[in-house]
Amino acid sequence: RILFHLRFLRSYSHHTMYLGARASTRCSAGHRGSSSGIPPGRPVGSGRTGRVFKIGGVRVRVEACVGDISSDMMQAYEAEALGAEALERILARPRIDFGSILDTVSPIVEGVRSTGDEAVREYTSKFDRVELADVCVPIESLPDPSGLLGEEVRDAFDVAYANIRAFHEAQKASEVRVETMPGVMCRRVSRPIGAVGLYVPGGTAVLPSTALMLAVPASIAGCSTIVLATPPRPDGTITPEVLYCAKKAGVTHVLKAGGAQAVAAMAWGTQSTPKVDKIFGPGNQYVTAAKMLLQNSEAMVAIDMPAGPSEVLVIADRDAPLSHVAIDLLSQAEHGPDSQAILIALPGVDVEGLKKEVEYQCSLLPRAEVTKKALSHSRIISVRDVQEAVRISNLYAPEHLIVNIEDAESILDSLDNAGSVFLGRWTPESVGDYASGTNHVLPTYGYARMYSGVSLDAFTKKMTVQRLTKEGLERLGPSVAKMAEVEGLDAHRRAVTLRLGMES
């Protein structure tokens, strides 16, 4: 047996992988060879999923992907051979058992309601193994983390901040004012939600980009209290990248907790955490369950949207580079084991070549083991034409939709259900996740059929206003009085007729 820690060099013209100079070997007899000084391998053949090399007389098969990911992981189908039920089954997301999850989350939510900060400390110690001194603090009490970040990191965050701010500021709507008939003026005005809670995940990945995506529009909207919750590091501090973005974007308080306990703290309020009116942000199934539970509770809190695991659907034509298509699929698969990637392949796409490319690109990823699990419920569906691709995409309603075809703009008007759309050869989903300016907090799990992604509007509420003159009521009043009479609501009718002197 040979175990390798590999660095691959690849010849794209022949799809050949060459073994780099670092390797450790264990022969079938159990002998462990040196981890250095082994010469590069020489390809002597190929197998179904890898290349065969010869090193010091030993024939070695080098598999194409870490964690034994085979090309069979992404199952391929022909759309024309599928009935409606079969297609629906193939497009099904990984099932989330919210029943059992709610059984876990409910006691946490009630615990935080009952004892506040004490419960947050208890659950943070239990789940994150962190002992908190302070639970929630004003952000100005936390030190400036700029010195802990490299200049290139700060510059990247600054670019993202500027673009996100520019796009969301452009969403400011002017007041709507309409005189529906002489003397009857109707208006719609916007007001910020007073207090909002922003959940920024930690766990397997640090997501300072989410801090920007949520805090920037909250600040533009004028929310007076902006609480950012994020899991603490082992020493109880906040990740400097998240703190940098939070300070830059206008956060007012930082809650040093994650999971259901953080969501509950923002919903109910605790001794140190301000109660919020609406909670935003992605999270795992426990965070999602807590949000859904609390929005229907006495906490009187709204949420941005239901959410599930991250997902992407890619529509590709024969001229889309396989390496680009493969890495776009993997960019969502690497989020977690429940993520899903769907490829809709137009005629001429080399499906087998694409599957091999997915294998190879996967082998380069640090999160290959996680990605492997996501690929097990990912799909490739070959279609006859663009119209069929659009139909399947609208049926699936993806969180992210990448259209890697010639003249991608031409089908935009036909796309109805997607959280965010990425058009053309030069638009990877990554730009929307980080810095193009659009928001990356998007509906998943098919909710793009009826929900929008986070925008400036999500941090505001709209009030309608009407003002009538005497002449206006004289014109409109008789119609209102008659409708109230039809509905049997006499006080409504008399509120008009008394003003107009029609009765006493």
PDB file of all heavy atoms in Angstrom, residues 479-497:
ATOM      1  N   SER A 479     -69.123  56.422  -1.867  1.00  0.00           N
ATOM      2  CA  SER A 479     -68.713  55.059  -2.239  1.00  0.00           C
ATOM      3  C   SER A 479     -68.270  54.268  -1.015  1.00  0.00           C
ATOM      4  O   SER A 479     -68.602  53.080  -0.868  1.00  0.00           O
ATOM      5  CB  SER A 479     -67.573  55.110  -3.275  1.00  0.00           C
ATOM      6  OG  SER A 479     -68.002  55.707  -4.478  1.00  0.00           O
ATOM      7  N   VAL A 480     -67.518  54.910  -0.125  1.00  0.00           N
ATOM      8  CA  VAL A 480     -67.067  54.249   1.092  1.00  0.00           C
ATOM      9  C   VAL A 480     -68.251  53.875   1.974  1.00  0.00           C
ATOM     10  O   VAL A 480     -68.336  52.756   2.507  1.00  0.00           O
ATOM     11  CB  VAL A 480     -66.086  55.158   1.857  1.00  0.00           C
ATOM     12  CG1 VAL A 480     -65.721  54.542   3.212  1.00  0.00           C
ATOM     13  CG2 VAL A 480     -64.830  55.399   1.029  1.00  0.00           C
ATOM     14  N   ALA A 481     -69.176  54.807   2.135  1.00  0.00           N
ATOM     15  CA  ALA A 481     -70.345  54.540   2.972  1.00  0.00           C
ATOM     16  C   ALA A 481     -71.161  53.370   2.433  1.00  0.00           C
ATOM     17  O   ALA A 481     -71.649  52.523   3.197  1.00  0.00           O
ATOM     18  CB  ALA A 481     -71.209  55.806   3.072  1.00  0.00           C
ATOM     19  N   LYS A 482     -71.364  53.326   1.131  1.00  0.00           N
ATOM     20  CA  LYS A 482     -72.140  52.238   0.540  1.00  0.00           C
ATOM     21  C   LYS A 482     -71.443  50.883   0.731  1.00  0.00           C
ATOM     22  O   LYS A 482     -72.089  49.877   1.039  1.00  0.00           O
ATOM     23  CB  LYS A 482     -72.359  52.512  -0.945  1.00  0.00           C
ATOM     24  CG  LYS A 482     -73.165  51.459  -1.684  1.00  0.00           C
ATOM     25  CD  LYS A 482     -74.528  51.211  -1.013  1.00  0.00           C
ATOM     26  CE  LYS A 482     -75.460  52.415  -1.141  1.00  0.00           C
ATOM     27  NZ  LYS A 482     -76.798  52.115  -0.539  1.00  0.00           N
ATOM     28  N   MET A 483     -70.109  50.826   0.552  1.00  0.00           N
ATOM     29  CA  MET A 483     -69.376  49.567   0.744  1.00  0.00           C
ATOM     30  C   MET A 483     -69.454  49.106   2.202  1.00  0.00           C
ATOM     31  O   MET A 483     -69.613  47.912   2.483  1.00  0.00           O
ATOM     32  CB  MET A 483     -67.918  49.739   0.315  1.00  0.00           C
ATOM     33  CG  MET A 483     -67.742  49.933  -1.190  1.00  0.00           C
ATOM     34  SD  MET A 483     -66.020  50.171  -1.675  1.00  0.00           S
ATOM     35  CE  MET A 483     -65.394  48.521  -1.423  1.00  0.00           C
ATOM     36  N   ALA A 484     -69.368  50.055   3.150  1.00  0.00           N
ATOM     37  CA  ALA A 484     -69.483  49.702   4.564  1.00  0.00           C
ATOM     38  C   ALA A 484     -70.870  49.161   4.866  1.00  0.00           C
ATOM     39  O   ALA A 484     -71.038  48.222   5.656  1.00  0.00           O
ATOM     40  CB  ALA A 484     -69.180  50.919   5.427  1.00  0.00           C
ATOM     41  N   GLU A 485     -71.880  49.756   4.228  1.00  0.00           N
ATOM     42  CA  GLU A 485     -73.253  49.270   4.420  1.00  0.00           C
ATOM     43  C   GLU A 485     -73.399  47.839   3.906  1.00  0.00           C
ATOM     44  O   GLU A 485     -74.021  46.982   4.558  1.00  0.00           O
ATOM     45  CB  GLU A 485     -74.225  50.190   3.684  1.00  0.00           C
ATOM     46  CG  GLU A 485     -75.690  49.806   3.828  1.00  0.00           C
ATOM     47  CD  GLU A 485     -76.592  50.712   3.015  1.00  0.00           C
ATOM     48  OE1 GLU A 485     -76.244  51.899   2.823  1.00  0.00           O
ATOM     49  OE2 GLU A 485     -77.647  50.229   2.550  1.00  0.00           O
ATOM     50  N   VAL A 486     -72.802  47.541   2.751  1.00  0.00           N
ATOM     51  CA  VAL A 486     -72.865  46.196   2.184  1.00  0.00           C
ATOM     52  C   VAL A 486     -72.218  45.184   3.135  1.00  0.00           C
ATOM     53  O   VAL A 486     -72.718  44.062   3.304  1.00  0.00           O
ATOM     54  CB  VAL A 486     -72.179  46.173   0.801  1.00  0.00           C
ATOM     55  CG1 VAL A 486     -71.979  44.741   0.322  1.00  0.00           C
ATOM     56  CG2 VAL A 486     -72.995  46.968  -0.216  1.00  0.00           C
ATOM     57  N   GLU A 487     -71.151  45.572   3.772  1.00  0.00           N
ATOM     58  CA  GLU A 487     -70.427  44.650   4.659  1.00  0.00           C
ATOM     59  C   GLU A 487     -70.999  44.637   6.075  1.00  0.00           C
ATOM     60  O   GLU A 487     -70.492  43.902   6.934  1.00  0.00           O
ATOM     61  CB  GLU A 487     -68.943  45.010   4.678  1.00  0.00           C
ATOM     62  CG  GLU A 487     -68.263  44.772   3.326  1.00  0.00           C
ATOM     63  CD  GLU A 487     -66.756  44.923   3.369  1.00  0.00           C
ATOM     64  OE1 GLU A 487     -66.222  45.349   4.426  1.00  0.00           O
ATOM     65  OE2 GLU A 487     -66.100  44.607   2.363  1.00  0.00           O
ATOM     66  N   GLY A 488     -71.992  45.475   6.328  1.00  0.00           N
ATOM     67  CA  GLY A 488     -72.633  45.463   7.635  1.00  0.00           C
ATOM     68  C   GLY A 488     -71.802  46.091   8.730  1.00  0.00           C
ATOM     69  O   GLY A 488     -71.963  45.760   9.913  1.00  0.00           O
ATOM     70  N   LEU A 489     -70.920  47.007   8.391  1.00  0.00           N
ATOM     71  CA  LEU A 489     -70.048  47.665   9.376  1.00  0.00           C
ATOM     72  C   LEU A 489     -70.504  49.117   9.516  1.00  0.00           C
ATOM     73  O   LEU A 489     -70.011  50.025   8.833  1.00  0.00           O
ATOM     74  CB  LEU A 489     -68.582  47.554   8.936  1.00  0.00           C
ATOM     75  CG  LEU A 489     -68.059  46.116   8.835  1.00  0.00           C
ATOM     76  CD1 LEU A 489     -66.648  46.089   8.261  1.00  0.00           C
ATOM     77  CD2 LEU A 489     -68.083  45.426  10.197  1.00  0.00           C
ATOM     78  N   ASP A 490     -71.447  49.321  10.409  1.00  0.00           N
ATOM     79  CA  ASP A 490     -72.140  50.604  10.460  1.00  0.00           C
ATOM     80  C   ASP A 490     -71.274  51.727  11.007  1.00  0.00           C
ATOM     81  O   ASP A 490     -71.421  52.886  10.598  1.00  0.00           O
ATOM     82  CB  ASP A 490     -73.416  50.470  11.309  1.00  0.00           C
ATOM     83  CG  ASP A 490     -74.456  51.509  10.917  1.00  0.00           C
ATOM     84  OD1 ASP A 490     -74.725  51.656   9.707  1.00  0.00           O
ATOM     85  OD2 ASP A 490     -74.974  52.197  11.821  1.00  0.00           O
ATOM     86  N   ALA A 491     -70.372  51.418  11.952  1.00  0.00           N
ATOM     87  CA  ALA A 491     -69.504  52.475  12.473  1.00  0.00           C
ATOM     88  C   ALA A 491     -68.597  53.013  11.364  1.00  0.00           C
ATOM     89  O   ALA A 491     -68.302  54.215  11.320  1.00  0.00           O
ATOM     90  CB  ALA A 491     -68.673  51.953  13.642  1.00  0.00           C
ATOM     91  N   HIS A 492     -68.141  52.103  10.481  1.00  0.00           N
ATOM     92  CA  HIS A 492     -67.349  52.550   9.330  1.00  0.00           C
ATOM     93  C   HIS A 492     -68.166  53.531   8.484  1.00  0.00           C
ATOM     94  O   HIS A 492     -67.673  54.579   8.052  1.00  0.00           O
ATOM     95  CB  HIS A 492     -66.950  51.344   8.461  1.00  0.00           C
ATOM     96  CG  HIS A 492     -65.815  50.536   9.007  1.00  0.00           C
ATOM     97  ND1 HIS A 492     -65.920  49.804  10.148  1.00  0.00           N
ATOM     98  CD2 HIS A 492     -64.547  50.353   8.544  1.00  0.00           C
ATOM     99  CE1 HIS A 492     -64.766  49.184  10.393  1.00  0.00           C
ATOM    100  NE2 HIS A 492     -63.907  49.502   9.426  1.00  0.00           N
ATOM    101  N   ARG A 493     -69.431  53.173   8.237  1.00  0.00           N
ATOM    102  CA  ARG A 493     -70.283  54.030   7.401  1.00  0.00           C
ATOM    103  C   ARG A 493     -70.499  55.393   8.047  1.00  0.00           C
ATOM    104  O   ARG A 493     -70.355  56.438   7.399  1.00  0.00           O
ATOM    105  CB  ARG A 493     -71.622  53.338   7.171  1.00  0.00           C
ATOM    106  CG  ARG A 493     -72.603  54.114   6.298  1.00  0.00           C
ATOM    107  CD  ARG A 493     -73.943  53.417   6.201  1.00  0.00           C
ATOM    108  NE  ARG A 493     -74.597  53.337   7.495  1.00  0.00           N
ATOM    109  CZ  ARG A 493     -75.271  54.353   8.071  1.00  0.00           C
ATOM    110  NH1 ARG A 493     -75.350  55.518   7.446  1.00  0.00           N
ATOM    111  NH2 ARG A 493     -75.832  54.194   9.252  1.00  0.00           N
ATOM    112  N   ARG A 494     -70.787  55.382   9.343  1.00  0.00           N
ATOM    113  CA  ARG A 494     -71.100  56.637  10.040  1.00  0.00           C
ATOM    114  C   ARG A 494     -69.879  57.536  10.184  1.00  0.00           C
ATOM    115  O   ARG A 494     -70.009  58.756  10.296  1.00  0.00           O
ATOM    116  CB  ARG A 494     -71.718  56.332  11.401  1.00  0.00           C
ATOM    117  CG  ARG A 494     -73.152  55.838  11.307  1.00  0.00           C
ATOM    118  CD  ARG A 494     -73.682  55.376  12.667  1.00  0.00           C
ATOM    119  NE  ARG A 494     -73.634  56.441  13.670  1.00  0.00           N
ATOM    120  CZ  ARG A 494     -74.560  57.412  13.806  1.00  0.00           C
ATOM    121  NH1 ARG A 494     -75.584  57.463  12.961  1.00  0.00           N
ATOM    122  NH2 ARG A 494     -74.446  58.306  14.767  1.00  0.00           N
ATOM    123  N   ALA A 495     -68.638  56.943  10.208  1.00  0.00           N
ATOM    124  CA  ALA A 495     -67.433  57.772  10.262  1.00  0.00           C
ATOM    125  C   ALA A 495     -67.346  58.689   9.051  1.00  0.00           C
ATOM    126  O   ALA A 495     -66.749  59.775   9.116  1.00  0.00           O
ATOM    127  CB  ALA A 495     -66.194  56.877  10.331  1.00  0.00           C
ATOM    128  N   VAL A 496     -67.960  58.273   7.938  1.00  0.00           N
ATOM    129  CA  VAL A 496     -68.005  59.107   6.727  1.00  0.00           C
ATOM    130  C   VAL A 496     -69.217  60.031   6.745  1.00  0.00           C
ATOM    131  O   VAL A 496     -69.123  61.252   6.557  1.00  0.00           O
ATOM    132  CB  VAL A 496     -68.033  58.220   5.471  1.00  0.00           C
ATOM    133  CG1 VAL A 496     -68.264  59.072   4.219  1.00  0.00           C
ATOM    134  CG2 VAL A 496     -66.732  57.433   5.335  1.00  0.00           C
ATOM    135  N   THR A 497     -70.392  59.455   6.988  1.00  0.00           N
ATOM    136  CA  THR A 497     -71.628  60.228   6.850  1.00  0.00           C
ATOM    137  C   THR A 497     -71.735  61.344   7.880  1.00  0.00           C
ATOM    138  O   THR A 497     -72.273  62.420   7.604  1.00  0.00           O
ATOM    139  CB  THR A 497     -72.836  59.310   6.952  1.00  0.00           C
ATOM    140  OG1 THR A 497     -72.847  58.602   8.190  1.00  0.00           O
ATOM    141  CG2 THR A 497     -72.842  58.296   5.784  1.00  0.00           C
TER     142      THR A 497
END
